[in-house]
Amino acid sequence: MKIKIGHLYPYELTLYGENGNLKALKYALEQKGIEVEVTCINKEDSFDIKAYDFVYIGSGRPEFLEEIKERLEPYKKDIKDYINKDKVLLATGNSIAILELLRLYEIEYYDKRRVSDIEGTTSLYNGKIYGFQNTEYLIKTTKNILFSLEKGYGNNETCMEGYKKNNFYATSIIGPILARNDNLTNYLVETLIKNKKEQE
Amino acid sequence: MKFLAILTGKLIIIAGNIMQRGSSLPGKLALKIDKNLLSKLKYPEIRIAVTGSSGKGSTSSLIAKVLKDNGYKVSYNDMGSNLTWGCTTSFLRKSSLTGKIKADVLVIEIDERDTKEMFPNLRPTHIVITNLTKDQPPRQHHIDNVYKDILKGITPNSKIVTNIDEPYLRSFERDTKNEMIYFSLEKNKYSYKNQIFENLNTYYCPYCKGKLEYEYYNFETLGKYKCTKCDFKNENAKVIGSNLDLENETLEINDNKLNIGGNFLYHAYNTLASFTTLKDVGLDEDKIIKSINKFNDYSTYSYEKNNKVYFPMSCKAENATTYNGVIFKTIMNKEKKDIIIGWKEISRRYAHFDVSWLYDIEFELLNSDSLNKVYAVGIDAENIKKRLVLAGIPEDKIIMAESIPEIKDMVNKDEVKYVYGILNFDYIDPFNETFKEEL
């Protein structure tokens, strides 16, 4: 079995050790004997989302966010198809503002950054979620949430954080969330294996 | 108001019991009495402000020492604090009761986030920007915030002295009309052709956003770059350092040897920043070199004990570049080695627990046959271990411990000659206390 991972714009979205997520996922897949191929997709490259089993997009400097949103606009339908086919897309930190283009949720901008440790639970697995927030954007919509927070800022400043549709996961938590949460990584690994088996 | 503020500040300074290193209280109180005090002081004709993410302390200190050595009367905040209050204390120390700072030159190290208040008052003749890198994300958020803060304060007639090898720093040339004075370090025996670090700040041209191409890298994004789309390139630096020799801690400027005062690449860049500033101030090149060579004396940080060589290397937590710097230094030694990584605390400023910066550090570079064992030490031992495992380092090579004394016997029994400490500055003393004492 071979899992193909696409890392979107790692030359622009490089704020907070974002590729730690891919290191954690790759390690967990390889521990199960699964071959992993990671492709970096930069602005010079074309983006064929269908070619991947897992796509990751992380936090970036604000000057890049709007530009990348425009760049992804032509791929909107492809990204939606990808999500509708249950393939895995993970967005962390302020990249949730880029993927607002999918019109699945609304985004709120805060002049005063929200900085906090994160502690909470999720319906994806039994156990906790830990992380860190350092963001000027939160999701406004409080439907289809990803995490219930005990500590941190949730969507629209409630205790409900993130967005989930099929296997599209969007969270304002920054950095290597998968490296800090083995449960979440294992959940994604199982999802990827299940998806792959169904394809075969 | 001004008189009262100065008098109060000076009296507090004189009160010996609070004359502790880095005390900012006199400045704080003086500014409370007169919040516009900084705009009312009479500063010397030459005013050199040094800022940046790191290296501002050693760069400003060297500038001040060389000036003093050449007969200048210098006001310098060498007592520690580089925030507005601390800077103000240092001004009061040297000022008359009428607010005239009694010096020929003012040299001031300023925290990068306080420059926006300080620069408009000081109107520096020279603004030295050592570097801008990822640093303290919970405080700074990202590099553009720091850049914008510095930019806000830049006064029209200040000359900006900075490193042309870093393309991001060229943003100042793009966004100001100030005279830029650049220094550069030529290709040297430690330069490399293909990028070895990931997650860096700059991959694209600050002018046209075209992809940057490098002829060589000196470290991270420092190197000989050019844009693939426009004519932006690294050329025509005013001062060029060549023949870097980290073993002997020297480089050359116009065929003259210059001591850099340490065996890391940043020592070379900091020395170049100091030299470039001093030259522009008007000091004679030979005299600058003579003084720098006196103060930047050979100062290797390693020591030998029990047939081992120990290298305690200080980094700044939440600043991946400082860690990458010592990793880059560590891998220059191809001999078998032990590595100790740890810190007492990540930040003294806040209680957040953020480990994302660990993933900006290229620990992958340590994963080689020459690595014997790596010790993950301190409160974050588990997180360090996790990072090392994800860097591909075999788990049986990683040992976790709560403190450095706990691993002393294990390290000393390991059959390797070299022991590198990749440490936050708060672990340097525990490292030395453990390994430097008589074994």
Side-chain angles (χ1 to χ4, degrees):
Chain A
M1 188 182 284
K2 183 174 174 180
I3 299 286
K4 289 186 173 178
I5 295 177
H7 185 183
L8 264 180
Y9 309 124
Y11 284 173
E12 291 158 295
L13 304 175
T14 65
L15 270 194
Y16 305 116
E18 310 289 331
N19 67 356
N21 287 310
L22 299 184
K23 290 180 201 295
L25 187 66
K26 186 168 183 276
Y27 179 81
L29 286 162
E30 285 173 348
Q31 289 293 98
K32 288 187 175 287
I34 298 165
E35 197 187 332
V36 180
E37 183 186 288
V38 180
T39 306
C40 294
I41 303 139
N42 283 307
K43 69 173 176 183
E44 307 80 19
D45 308 320
S46 62
F47 175 40
D48 180 15
I49 194 166
K50 294 190 300 298
Y52 305 103
D53 304 300
F54 180 99
V55 171
Y56 174 69
I57 182 164
S59 307
R61 279 149 55 193
E63 71 160 303
F64 294 122
L65 299 183
E66 205 49 44
E67 193 185 318
I68 291 175
K69 198 171 168 184
E70 278 172 34
R71 197 184 303 155
L72 284 177
E73 193 63 35
Y75 300 104
K76 200 157 81 180
K77 188 179 172 304
D78 291 350
I79 301 171
K80 280 190 161 178
D81 287 348
Y82 177 91
I83 294 169
N84 289 334
K85 282 182 181 153
D86 286 342
K87 291 178 113 181
V88 189
L89 171 59
L90 173 65
T92 60
N94 61 16
S95 73
I96 57 174
I98 297 173
L99 294 185
E100 189 192 21
L101 71 101
L102 301 174
R103 300 273 176 263
L104 294 171
Y105 54 72
E106 282 179 59
I107 282 289
E108 186 75 41
Y109 174 82
Y110 295 87
D111 274 337
K112 187 172 168 13
R113 258 185 309 143
R114 298 301 189 245
V115 181
S116 175
D117 290 312
I118 289 278
E119 207 177 315
T121 53
T122 172
S123 60
L124 302 179
Y125 55 83
N126 285 325
K128 304 278 272 187
I129 175 88
Y130 297 99
F132 194 69
Q133 256 176 334
N134 189 354
T135 182
E136 66 278 50
Y137 292 102
L138 291 173
I139 291 173
K140 208 171 169 185
T141 322
T142 49
K143 279 190 291 187
N144 306 322
I145 59 142
L146 189 51
F147 304 122
S148 296
L149 301 185
E150 289 141 34
K151 198 191 263 182
Y153 299 92
N155 301 0
N156 212 16
E157 300 202 88
T158 65
C159 60
M160 299 174 279
E161 203 282 331
Y163 178 85
K164 174 187 179 315
K165 183 188 177 187
N166 300 340
N167 289 312
F168 167 39
Y169 307 98
T171 174
S172 64
I173 300 174
I174 61 156
I177 177 175
L178 297 187
R180 282 188 75 178
N181 295 280
D182 289 344
N183 281 340
L184 184 57
T185 309
N186 293 336
Y187 174 82
L188 293 177
V189 165
E190 293 309 320
T191 306
L192 287 166
I193 293 171
K194 186 171 149 270
N195 278 356
K196 208 69 191 176
K197 280 184 178 160
E198 277 171 12
Q199 276 175 33
E200 284 164 0
Chain B
M1 270 312 214
K2 179 180 87 173
F3 178 76
L4 183 64
I6 295 171
L7 183 66
T8 309
K10 285 185 94 62
L11 284 174
I12 296 169
I13 290 170
I14 291 163
N17 58 345
I18 58 140
M19 272 279 288
Q20 293 161 359
R21 195 178 152 74
S23 171
S24 56
L25 186 63
K28 180 183 172 182
L29 286 177
L31 284 170
K32 208 158 197 174
I33 294 167
D34 185 350
K35 66 176 186 334
N36 297 318
L37 177 66
L38 287 175
S39 67
K40 295 172 184 169
L41 296 177
K42 289 186 198 79
Y43 299 100
E45 207 170 305
I46 303 168
R47 303 169 298 278
I48 301 166
V50 184
T51 192
S53 301
S54 54
K56 47 192 177 287
S58 42
T59 302
S60 55
S61 161
L62 185 59
I63 291 172
K65 282 180 193 162
V66 173
L67 285 164
K68 279 182 200 164
D69 199 39
N70 285 277
Y72 290 82
K73 215 167 146 196
V74 179
S75 165
Y76 173 52
N77 58 334
D78 55 354
M79 302 296 275
S81 174
N82 60 14
L83 300 170
T84 302
W85 294 340
C87 293
T88 307
T89 302
S90 82
F91 299 154
L92 294 176
R93 228 178 267 280
K94 289 272 176 162
S95 89
S96 67
L97 285 173
T98 58
K100 183 175 164 49
I101 294 174
K102 292 174 277 182
D104 306 315
V105 185
L106 176 79
V107 180
I108 191 97
E109 173 201 341
I110 307 178
D111 182 273
E112 58 277 24
R113 300 307 291 272
D114 278 23
T115 51
K116 57 183 181 298
E117 287 109 38
M118 295 293 293
F119 285 172
N121 289 311
L122 289 178
R123 291 175 295 104
T125 51
H126 296 79
I127 294 172
V128 186
I129 302 163
T130 52
N131 55 29
L132 285 179
T133 63
K134 290 188 180 187
D135 186 39
Q136 301 174 292
R139 176 179 176 228
Q140 315 278 29
H141 196 197
H142 54 77
I143 189 174
D144 292 340
N145 274 352
V146 183
Y147 173 75
K148 281 176 192 157
D149 267 5
I150 296 176
L151 188 66
K152 254 183 232 164
I154 287 179
T155 36
N157 295 319
S158 305
K159 294 177 179 178
I160 300 175
V161 180
T162 194
N163 185 352
I164 200 169
D165 293 349
E166 171 53 62
Y168 186 83
L169 292 170
R170 305 281 299 273
S171 309
F172 288 105
E173 160 193 315
R174 181 194 63 199
D175 295 338
T176 72
K177 292 192 170 74
N178 292 58
E179 183 183 341
M180 305 296 299
I181 301 173
Y182 287 121
F183 56 86
S184 172
L185 182 63
E186 260 186 356
K187 187 176 183 177
N188 54 72
K189 55 182 166 176
Y190 318 99
S191 304
Y192 51 96
K193 195 163 168 37
N194 297 313
Q195 184 58 275
I196 55 172
F197 297 97
E198 289 183 1
N199 277 2
L200 302 170
N201 273 318
T202 308
Y203 294 89
Y204 294 104
C205 171
Y207 281 89
C208 76
K209 296 194 172 175
K211 180 97 174 55
L212 293 176
E213 219 173 54
Y214 281 73
E215 191 183 311
Y216 61 85
Y217 294 91
N218 282 339
F219 173 66
E220 290 195 337
T221 46
L222 300 168
K224 185 92 172 171
Y225 53 80
K226 65 172 188 201
C227 177
T228 50
K229 270 172 77 182
C230 71
D231 57 4
F232 176 76
K233 60 175 101 155
N234 179 351
E235 63 177 357
N236 300 332
K238 200 159 187 180
V239 171
I240 297 172
S242 54
N243 287 330
L244 176 68
D245 182 350
L246 292 177
E247 287 70 35
N248 291 307
E249 302 179 7
T250 58
L251 56 76
E252 286 173 19
I253 292 177
N254 301 331
D255 296 328
N256 292 309
K257 264 212 164 77
L258 193 63
N259 290 346
I260 59 170
N263 50 15
F264 288 87
L265 191 72
Y266 66 80
H267 289 115
Y269 276 116
N270 292 345
T271 304
L272 280 169
S274 305
F275 176 91
T276 308
T277 310
L278 291 159
K279 181 123 196 280
D280 197 75
V281 164
L283 268 75
D284 175 74
E285 187 164 324
D286 290 339
K287 286 181 177 166
I288 303 172
I289 291 173
K290 207 173 151 199
S291 295
I292 286 184
N293 285 347
K294 183 158 84 182
F295 298 115
N296 268 352
D297 203 6
Y298 191 80
S299 63
T300 185
Y301 298 100
S302 61
Y303 47 86
E304 285 192 51
K305 282 269 171 187
N306 201 24
N307 293 325
K308 283 181 188 287
V309 187
Y310 296 90
F311 297 85
M313 299 183 293
S314 178
C315 308
K316 197 173 156 196
E318 297 189 300
N319 182 317
T321 294
T322 61
Y323 279 82
N324 277 341
V326 302
I327 286 173
F328 188 49
K329 175 73 191 166
T330 306
I331 61 172
M332 284 177 192
N333 181 349
K334 307 291 178 206
E335 300 291 321
K336 202 100 177 156
K337 58 183 93 63
D338 276 349
I339 293 172
I340 299 169
I341 303 172
W343 47 84
K344 218 178 265 173
E345 58 185 354
I346 292 178
S347 176
R348 286 181 296 188
R349 284 179 192 263
Y350 34 74
H352 295 314
F353 183 70
D354 174 28
V355 292
S356 60
W357 58 280
L358 280 179
Y359 289 82
D360 283 328
I361 302 169
E362 209 60 33
F363 286 110
E364 280 73 3
L365 295 172
L366 298 177
N367 187 18
S368 75
D369 290 342
S370 73
L371 178 67
N372 179 55
K373 291 227 166 65
V374 52
Y375 294 86
V377 188
I379 50 164
D380 290 320
E382 272 186 46
N383 286 302
I384 297 169
K385 180 179 177 181
K386 183 67 178 272
R387 176 68 190 94
L388 295 171
V389 168
L390 294 183
I393 294 171
E395 274 197 74
D396 59 5
K397 284 190 177 183
I398 307 169
I399 294 161
M400 287 199 293
E402 282 177 14
S403 70
I404 295 188
E406 193 184 311
I407 58 169
K408 178 179 167 182
D409 290 343
M410 275 187 282
V411 172
N412 286 334
K413 275 182 200 149
D414 283 341
E415 287 178 2
V416 293
K417 188 165 168 58
Y418 299 99
V419 181
Y420 284 84
I422 299 179
L423 311 163
N424 191 25
F425 59 85
D426 62 10
Y427 248 30
I428 294 289
D429 284 347
F431 184 96
N432 288 338
E433 282 157 17
T434 304
F435 296 113
K436 215 173 184 176
E437 64 171 82
E438 282 309 316
L439 300 168

